[in-house]
Amino acid sequence: GGGGGGGGRSSPVNIVDLAQVMAEIAGLLGQTSDKEPQMIVWIASSTPFLSRWQLCLGLLGQQLQDAGTTGLRWSGRVAQVFKRHMLVLNKLGEVCRTQVAGKKPHALTPWTSVADTIAGSAVKTLLSAGLAPEAPKEVHFATMGTLSTVLGLVLLDISSRSFNGRLVGSYGGTDPRCVAEDIVLGKRICEVFGKVTTPANLPATLYTCLLNLFSTSQSAALAAWKVGFLQTLLLSIVATSNSRKSGSSVGPSKTCLGLLRVLEALFLASPEAVEEAVTSKTQSEQSKDSVRPSFADCLLVLRPLCDKDESLCSEVMTMITSCFQAEEEISQQHCLANLLLRLELVHWLMRFAQRVNVPTSLFTKALGLLTYCAPILSGKPLLLRFLGHFVDYLRNAFRGPSAYHSLDEEKLKRLNAILRFAASIRPCTRSLALLVGPEHTAHQSLASPTEQVGGLGLDFWFDIIEAEKPAPSSSASPSSWTALRANALRSLLSV
């Protein structure tokens, strides 16, 4: 493996020949890595192969990037050599990830140089070339698979380019060159996404690639937003959701789940995307010239599907929760809560939470979203009706001397979600009467929020806060029990 180290620039023919030879040698290393993974570490520490391979990859990537001046074009041979390198990088990356999984920090050191090669700047240049518009489709797919693996290694934080959890090397750092490289990657992966006319045909590697890229680099997420990726993503979600409404099979459901996870990752990485989403209007509220769906349209299309598909419902709620979390970092406060109220999604969440057979995981997610919305609902009849329902639920849950010892883990999760919601309410006269007012002796209907419904009373809250821990035989975990008492105290203090 001696060639390729000259001072001048290699000609296109020479670089392809060199890349083919290096691909064959690296392929042998990849085949050996299955049975002898430590062979990779030995070669990294005892030979110059990885550094020379990295140089070769950087030259190939640069030649492909500068095709207009170097004369190197995508041909059948170039594509084959390129895919061969992608295959080996993917293989070594998977071996590296497997070897470091669950290991202590000192055990990661031997693999650092391997990770630095796989996640280095030279590979990044090659990946950018593989995502270029002129690259063949099969090269795009091979590149996305390798990029997913590379970004996965970066997220494991085993590279020497990381410092205090903030990556300052090849990916996601503050180095201007690295930021520029991330921007190119972000734009090109979005271009590949936009070329797929049918969302159901999107490869699974594209979802993973986007998720890892946005999780690793805010620069890439910002670049994606600037080229209109949020609009493209929303359009794909709406199209997929409409195909589900028309009776399509299970495929679109999986596609929709993947798209929602990408949207969630974009929100967490790009405050600009969140700001655009939470201030959006439906098509009926926009000018007649607007034909592209907004985030508000997307939510309205997804809502009826959530009633039929629990996995989709869970993903939608998780995505909205992430949007709430990201909104806390920008200036617009309660914009998303007001949007959900305007679209009557708050009403839907309340009805959903009151259903009889709602799984605990969905119940807690729905209550979590309503907890974010609670500050804007103060004094509204909608809130008082909903609160009245759960006041009755709480009263029945703690009725009787053995009530505390009969609480299992699932019921405690529900009770904690309710108490967190109660603690987030901005109190008004009627909500105070429900939470700490005296309990009426005669049963009164909870149907009308204007009627005074018997409250829980102060003693109800003191009993929970001062209650003893459950018996060892109880299925409730100590942490859930402690959370119950803490949430009860928060609810009492909030009034």
Side-chain angles (χ1 to χ4, degrees):
R9 220 173 199 186
S10 301
S11 70
V13 176
N14 288 342
I15 192 60
V16 175
D17 290 340
L18 174 62
Q20 185 169 11
V21 172
M22 296 300 282
E24 294 300 326
I25 299 173
L28 294 174
L29 179 59
Q31 292 174 13
T32 308
S33 64
D34 275 334
K35 297 180 180 179
E36 297 291 342
Q38 292 301 320
M39 179 67 74
I40 303 174
V41 176
W42 179 82
I43 288 178
S45 59
S46 305
T47 74
F49 173 72
L50 287 187
S51 61
R52 293 184 179 182
W53 185 31
Q54 192 175 34
L55 176 62
C56 172
L57 295 177
L59 287 173
L60 178 61
Q62 195 61 55
Q63 293 271 0
L64 289 169
Q65 296 268 41
D66 301 338
T69 57
T70 63
L72 182 60
R73 298 286 190 272
W74 284 102
S75 63
R77 184 188 176 206
V78 172
Q80 285 299 115
V81 171
F82 187 97
K83 289 190 293 182
R84 180 64 172 163
H85 282 289
M86 292 294 105
L87 184 64
V88 178
L89 285 168
N90 204 22
K91 178 67 174 177
L92 296 184
E94 287 296 327
V95 172
C96 190
R97 181 185 60 80
T98 304
Q99 291 298 310
V100 303
K103 300 288 181 63
K104 294 182 179 179
H106 70 270
L108 305 184
T109 305
W111 291 94
T112 298
S113 59
V114 180
D116 284 349
T117 297
I118 298 172
S121 182
V123 173
K124 196 172 186 180
T125 301
L126 190 64
L127 293 171
S128 294
L131 293 172
E134 60 271 15
K137 184 181 292 186
E138 65 269 21
V139 169
H140 285 164
F141 291 162
T143 305
M144 287 186 290
T146 302
L147 180 55
S148 299
T149 301
V150 168
L151 293 170
L153 283 180
V154 175
L155 291 172
L156 283 174
D157 203 19
I158 65 170
S159 172
S160 61
R161 298 181 174 90
S162 61
F163 180 74
N164 290 336
R166 182 172 176 80
L167 295 163
V168 294
S170 286
Y171 294 86
T174 54
D175 184 329
R177 192 188 74 168
C178 296
V179 170
E181 290 173 345
D182 288 357
I183 290 172
V184 172
L185 276 176
K187 288 180 178 179
R188 289 190 171 176
I189 195 70
C190 292
E191 288 172 357
V192 172
F193 184 98
K195 285 183 179 179
V196 182
T197 55
T198 305
N201 293 334
L202 289 168
T205 52
L206 181 54
Y207 297 129
T208 308
C209 190
L210 287 164
L211 284 172
N212 288 348
L213 183 60
F214 294 157
S215 299
T216 305
S217 173
Q218 288 187 332
S219 300
L222 176 60
W225 174 75
K226 284 184 175 180
V227 298
F229 182 64
L230 176 61
Q231 286 291 329
T232 304
L233 194 56
L234 293 174
L235 185 62
S236 297
I237 293 173
V238 169
T240 306
S241 301
N242 286 333
S243 70
R244 288 281 291 168
K245 283 183 180 180
S246 63
S248 293
S249 60
V250 137
S253 176
K254 293 181 180 179
T255 302
C256 202
L257 290 175
L259 293 170
L260 287 170
R261 287 168 188 149
V262 173
L263 181 60
E264 177 189 352
L266 180 62
F267 282 153
L268 290 174
S270 172
E272 296 82 4
V274 174
E275 188 171 351
E276 179 182 338
V278 300
T279 57
S280 64
K281 297 180 179 180
T282 62
Q283 285 181 310
S284 60
E285 295 171 329
Q286 299 177 57
S287 64
K288 293 182 179 179
D289 298 332
S290 177
V291 294
R292 297 182 71 85
S294 66
F295 180 62
D297 293 308
C298 181
L299 293 177
L300 289 177
V301 171
L302 287 168
R303 185 181 68 181
L305 296 178
C306 290
D307 292 325
K308 304 174 184 178
D309 189 330
E310 289 184 1
S311 60
L312 181 64
C313 182
S314 176
E315 202 61 53
V316 169
M317 290 183 180
T318 300
M319 179 269 295
I320 300 175
T321 301
S322 297
C323 195
F324 268 119
Q325 292 169 351
E327 186 191 30
E328 292 177 346
E329 300 181 7
I330 61 178
S331 57
Q332 278 83 1
Q333 290 189 347
H334 306 311
C335 284
L336 181 55
N338 283 308
L339 175 64
L340 297 182
L341 181 62
R342 193 174 82 243
L343 300 178
E344 297 189 355
L345 289 175
V346 170
H347 307 63
W348 173 76
L349 285 168
M350 289 181 173
R351 292 193 301 270
F352 185 89
Q354 294 178 66
R355 293 177 186 174
V356 178
N357 297 319
V358 177
T360 300
S361 60
L362 293 181
F363 178 87
T364 55
K365 286 184 178 182
L367 263 291
L369 291 175
L370 290 170
T371 299
Y372 281 110
C373 298
I376 69 167
L377 301 176
S378 179
K380 287 183 168 55
L382 174 72
L383 171 66
L384 298 172
R385 281 194 297 269
F386 184 68
L387 188 59
H389 170 84
F390 282 111
V391 162
D392 197 36
Y393 181 90
L394 290 170
R395 184 183 290 117
N396 291 330
F398 293 100
R399 180 167 287 160
S402 62
Y404 292 95
H405 297 284
S406 64
L407 296 177
D408 58 19
E409 186 68 19
E410 291 295 301
K411 196 165 188 179
L412 273 179
K413 288 179 180 178
R414 290 175 177 261
L415 291 171
N416 275 314
I418 295 169
L419 293 181
R420 282 192 293 269
F421 171 74
S424 67
I425 296 172
R426 290 178 180 172
C428 64
T429 303
R430 286 180 289 180
S431 64
L432 285 173
L434 285 169
L435 291 172
V436 296
E439 181 178 1
H440 289 179
T441 54
H443 177 73
Q444 290 179 278
S445 171
L446 302 180
S448 173
T450 59
E451 298 176 358
Q452 284 291 332
V453 177
L456 293 170
L458 287 172
D459 287 341
F460 171 86
W461 300 102
F462 291 142
D463 287 344
I464 298 177
I465 295 167
E466 298 173 353
E468 296 179 359
K469 291 183 179 181
S473 59
S474 172
S475 63
S477 67
S479 60
S480 295
W481 184 257
T482 302
L484 180 73
R485 299 170 68 191
N487 287 323
L489 180 59
R490 290 192 189 97
S491 299
L492 185 58
L493 292 175
S494 69
V495 300

